Amino acid sequence: MSGKFDFDSMGIGDLLKRGLLTVPANQRSYAWGEKQVRELLQDLNEAITNDDPDYFLGTVVLVMKDDGVPSIADGQQRIATTSIILARMRDLQTRLRRGPRAQAIENTYLREIDVDTEEHVPKLRMNIEDNEFYANDILQHHGLDQYNPKRTPEKIASNEKLKKASSLIVEFLDDVIKPLKPEQQSDYLNRWLKFIKERASVVVVTAPDEVGAYRMFETLNDRGLKASQADILKNFLFSKAPNRLNEAQSLWSAITGAIESLGDPDGSRLVTYIRHYWIVINGPTKERELAASVKIEISNESKALSFLKACADGVNTYVALWSSNHPYWSTHRPKTRNAVDTIAHHLQIEQIRPLMFAVALKFSVNEAEKAFRLFVSWSVRFLVFGGRGGMLDSQYSLRAAEIGDEKIKTAAALRTAMSRYVPTDPEFETAFATARVSRARLARYYLRAIENEMAGTEQPEMVPNEDVESVNLEHVVPLTPGDSWGLSDDEAEAVQKLIGNLALMQAGPNSQEGNGSFADKKKAYGASQFKTTSMIASFEKWDASSIRARQSELAKLAVGAWPLAFK
């Protein structure tokens, strides 16, 4: 290759017609479910029905290998699904006794003669898990009874997805042509064929190498983006370990299996995990920089295997950050587990994960407990005060790397390193006194933590997960205030989502007065078991000044609920 990218626009049918395409042997298997397949079929059908001049399917990224056969870096799902559509069109043409048309589809888009073996071989070669099933089952002729819901599913999940896609496609196409007269059905299928060949277009980008293909995803923003990035990283690492490929594959499977337990349909969490581990050992790394950085640092087989082993060793610790019930936390104290749940379930923030990961990998049990409590306080303070742009990502990543190379070994040292960036008590109190909250989840958590602070609870910021149906979050000034409030729309909007206007109410009869007046609601507030709510009843009226006065009191308590000092 010249090192440059080649671009070509064509129908996806013409891409299949050109000749052999391969899915790298160890790339992700077929993954489209019913939703994606049906969406493609419906989009094509609408475009064909409307006689649209073009339907853009996105970008296909290829990497030309030394043997001259293009390898699919991105676009496998669309290409494979299109080939199944063509195979089932061939079957329907056969059923309609249009043999020449069926044979033309077979020879032009599905198989070709291998001049060496004189055998018919698929124009699309799938990966290790899918290739045999695709060639020997999916490309074979099938009738409408191909998929019986009661049959035993295929043992390999991606094979089952291929078969379900095939069944859905043949049923969809049969429904499309069923209303037509028999003599019109074959012609309408032929109309589909011509559209797929010429007007269901893709932009084909041929990249000089895998890393070059990876960089393309930063600008293409196409379907399959994250999964393709994971595939390219995997293939690069495998290419560096040709003599220990089985070991590399085994380590990669361990990594992906653990990450998939979190739910990772598009591969995004896998890429994020690799980047977060890379941050711990190499410092701040943006996603667009990851491939180039990996290529520079991992230059031989030994480094590739060491990196894969380290990732495999650390992946269960990373997965544990989403649940305190993970076995990893069995040796940690309840305070640490409570912090894990608070960050995962109440705050649901991502920026701090590289730092959490580094602490979980490197700190002792005692120091991890202190650090994780700090993480809860820092996270709330940044949510209320503001993240200060890209500073937060950078500083969390820098601290993660300093922990990774053991420059920081204690929570106190970590707190000192972050002290100039984390909002101080006065800054946090001032910000909290005027803060608005749009997400009910966060509002509930803030008020429950402050409630705990008022009650003198040891860990006020560690709010247990509760049944949200048992506690209502109420806007004292309702979202749709009646005439009794005497507020203009602008006046109501200015105060409705201020923390001072939000209250917790135990669910049950008379727990919510809805859009009633303040006088109607006041008695229920005064009787509430929540102190942050009962304090509302001390106000004679409820207006902007009352809301701000209550919020100022809550802000003073917030400083204690999310402290910077170790308790």
Side-chain angles (χ1 to χ4, degrees), residues 378-504:
W378 292 353
S379 297
V380 172
R381 288 178 180 235
F382 280 121
L383 281 169
V384 172
F385 186 85
R388 300 179 178 180
M391 176 279 298
L392 199 54
D393 283 327
S394 176
Q395 294 305 318
Y396 280 162
S397 294
L398 285 169
R399 302 295 87 77
E402 289 166 353
I403 292 170
D405 64 16
E406 300 187 355
K407 291 179 180 177
I408 293 178
K409 298 182 180 181
T410 66
L414 177 58
R415 181 180 59 184
T416 299
M418 284 295 294
S419 61
R420 62 181 293 190
Y421 307 105
V422 178
T424 63
D425 287 351
E427 288 175 329
F428 178 48
E429 181 179 341
T430 299
F432 199 96
T434 59
R436 301 166 65 87
V437 186
S438 298
R439 286 171 284 185
R441 162 180 52 82
L442 286 177
R444 287 176 184 274
Y445 168 69
Y446 292 160
L447 291 171
R448 284 304 304 264
I450 293 173
E451 189 76 28
N452 289 345
E453 175 67 10
M454 293 182 73
T457 304
E458 182 183 1
Q459 287 183 285
E461 76 277 23
M462 306 307 181
V463 176
N465 294 322
E466 60 188 355
D467 182 2
V468 296
E469 294 183 359
S470 67
V471 179
N472 296 321
L473 177 69
E474 183 169 343
H475 294 75
V476 184
V477 173
L479 294 176
T480 54
D483 295 339
S484 63
W485 286 90
L487 297 172
S488 69
D489 290 345
D490 289 343
E491 289 172 330
E493 186 177 354
V495 299
Q496 284 163 339
K497 293 186 179 179
L498 287 169
I499 295 175
N501 187 57
L502 304 177
L504 298 172

Side-chain angles (χ1 to χ4, degrees), residues 324-337:
S324 66
N325 293 323
H326 193 281
Y328 173 82
W329 302 114
S330 61
T331 59
H332 287 257
R333 298 190 180 97
K335 290 180 180 179
T336 306
R337 298 198 293 272

Side-chain angles (χ1 to χ4, degrees), residues 253-446:
S253 294
I255 296 165
T256 56
I259 294 296
E260 285 173 359
S261 70
L262 296 173
D264 192 31
D266 64 353
S268 60
R269 273 189 169 152
L270 178 58
V271 173
T272 300
Y273 168 62
I274 294 171
R275 185 172 71 88
H276 286 177
Y277 194 91
W278 196 259
I279 286 171
V280 173
I281 60 177
N282 290 293
T285 308
K286 296 179 180 179
E287 191 166 301
R288 66 176 179 269
E289 301 168 343
L290 181 60
S293 183
V294 168
K295 185 175 182 181
I296 291 170
E297 294 294 329
I298 299 179
S299 56
N300 56 45
E301 186 170 78
S302 177
K303 290 182 177 181
L305 267 295
S306 294
F307 178 66
L308 284 168
K309 187 177 186 306
C311 284
D313 288 343
V315 70
N316 285 319
T317 302
Y318 187 77
V319 169
L321 299 178
W322 273 263
S323 173
S324 66
N325 293 323
H326 193 281
Y328 173 82
W329 302 114
S330 61
T331 59
H332 287 257
R333 298 190 180 97
K335 290 180 180 179
T336 306
R337 298 198 293 272
N338 290 340
V340 169
D341 278 343
T342 298
I343 292 170
H345 301 297
H346 292 298
L347 302 178
Q348 297 182 17
I349 54 175
E350 297 294 327
Q351 288 174 304
I352 203 168
R353 291 208 184 277
L355 185 53
M356 294 173 66
F357 184 37
V359 165
L361 285 173
K362 294 289 186 177
F363 275 19
S364 68
V365 168
N366 289 340
E367 293 302 323
E369 177 186 310
K370 297 175 187 176
F372 271 77
R373 289 200 66 189
L374 279 178
F375 294 161
V376 174
S377 292
W378 292 353
S379 297
V380 172
R381 288 178 180 235
F382 280 121
L383 281 169
V384 172
F385 186 85
R388 300 179 178 180
M391 176 279 298
L392 199 54
D393 283 327
S394 176
Q395 294 305 318
Y396 280 162
S397 294
L398 285 169
R399 302 295 87 77
E402 289 166 353
I403 292 170
D405 64 16
E406 300 187 355
K407 291 179 180 177
I408 293 178
K409 298 182 180 181
T410 66
L414 177 58
R415 181 180 59 184
T416 299
M418 284 295 294
S419 61
R420 62 181 293 190
Y421 307 105
V422 178
T424 63
D425 287 351
E427 288 175 329
F428 178 48
E429 181 179 341
T430 299
F432 199 96
T434 59
R436 301 166 65 87
V437 186
S438 298
R439 286 171 284 185
R441 162 180 52 82
L442 286 177
R444 287 176 184 274
Y445 168 69
Y446 292 160

Side-chain angles (χ1 to χ4, degrees), residues 22 24 27 61-63 71-76 213 217 228-229 231-232:
T22 66
Q27 195 180 105
V61 182
L62 306 178
V63 177
S71 175
I72 303 171
D74 181 56
Q76 174 201 169
F217 299 123
S228 295
Q229 291 175 341
D231 290 337
I232 290 166

